[in-house]
Amino acid sequence: MDNCSTQFDPQISCMFVDMLDNGMVVIDEDNPAAQGYRDNAAIESVADKFISEVMKTMSSQEKADSVDYLTGLYMRSRGQQVIAALMQDNDGCLAFIDMDNLKKVNDVHGHKAGDRALKLIGNLLAKETENETFAACRLGGDEFLIFMPYSDRASVESVIKRIFEGFESAREADCEIKEAALSAGLCMTTKGAMFESDYTKADKALYYVKQNCKGSYFFYEQLLADNKENTNLSADLRNVAKFLKESGSYTGALDLNYREFARIYEFVNNVGDRHKHNCYLVMVTMNTLPEQLADIEEIEKALDCMEQSIRSKIRKVDVCTRYSSMQYLIILFEPQENQIPNVMERIFMHYYELCDREGFKPQYEYIKMTEVK
């Protein structure tokens, strides 16, 4: 036991020796160490092998517990930890990938067909992450996340196109999953970037794809570039207002709740133009504090609390919807503009009553709907 606490874990070593003394472990008589197993060197030799096997088993179990059995990728919690760690040491790109029409595949051809589609994207992502500086995970359902350690968009696009083309090729060979497709939102990241912030940006880019061009990909930086001339309001809010104003021209299917919101927005906007009503579009964003690393479950719980707060504090003539993984949109019908801060303060106060999570700091901004061009 000379190397106890240095070479060997003291707790495991003592446990092993006790097991030897009590006859709970039997040493193979053919093992040279068995001739004098009470000798320190002999015991330590056998204990070393025993501990190695124990640690190997524990490592295998830990890995099994953190891997999605269907796709072979990391599950959400472990995956985001790995990705967040890689982002601390590398420039790169975070891609939020969503499988379109999975529900339709499941409904028409059964869940076995849907599972094949999920395994397909899992295999394609796993192939890209053979390099240890890549990482991917299944967020749940039909959503995936991949980190690519490339600082230039050309290299990122090469990977994404390879994934899309591989999926499309395999999809065409399987008639039961032909309806499935991929959409992706991408965000370029810099070394040391906060995971939650860039995750939200990638999610916003994905929402843009879902609203405008399903089956393709889009960079968050493109959203900023398209709106850089709008300096009085954030690019996000101006961009959202523009999308909503043009909602009647959408050709792709939108999320039902969001689509109904878009219709109401268009209706209210037309009424406002005709009767000179002043209605406002408000965006609520759930920011995470720089020192906090919230997991997805904590984010969802905080968002649920915010949704309850919004719905309980706005009037029956007002409307709200979930916009992205960290945001809500609200239409306030004819409020006095100077009362908007009071409305939002009531919402946020109620949120803090419902939610004791100090890692989130909600903020809001608003725009008069008739000013959106």
Side-chain angles (χ1 to χ4, degrees), residues 247-266:
S247 61
S249 64
Y250 288 155
T251 57
L254 300 179
D255 175 81
L256 179 61
N257 291 334
Y258 183 88
R259 191 169 185 78
E260 291 301 321
F261 184 88
R263 290 173 179 169
I264 293 172
Y265 179 96
E266 188 66 17

Side-chain angles (χ1 to χ4, degrees), residues 44 87 152 276 333:
E44 289 168 0
M87 289 173 61
D152 62 297
K276 306 306 178 184
F333 187 79

Side-chain angles (χ1 to χ4, degrees), residues 12 16 53 62 107 130-131 150 155 197 237 255 262 265 288 315 343 358:
I12 296 179
F16 177 71
E53 289 301 319
E62 181 182 1
D107 291 345
E130 290 175 354
N131 184 322
Y150 293 126
S155 297
S197 175
L237 184 56
D255 175 81
Y265 179 96
T288 54
R315 303 162 301 170
V343 173
E358 299 179 353

Side-chain angles (χ1 to χ4, degrees), residues 314-319:
I314 61 175
R315 303 162 301 170
K316 291 184 177 179
V317 294
D318 301 326
V319 189

Side-chain angles (χ1 to χ4, degrees), residues 207-214 216 243 246 250-252 254:
Y207 262 76
Y208 176 87
V209 173
K210 294 292 224 178
Q211 295 161 13
N212 294 272
C213 46
K214 270 189 172 183
S216 61
F243 291 158
E246 298 173 352
Y250 288 155
T251 57
L254 300 179

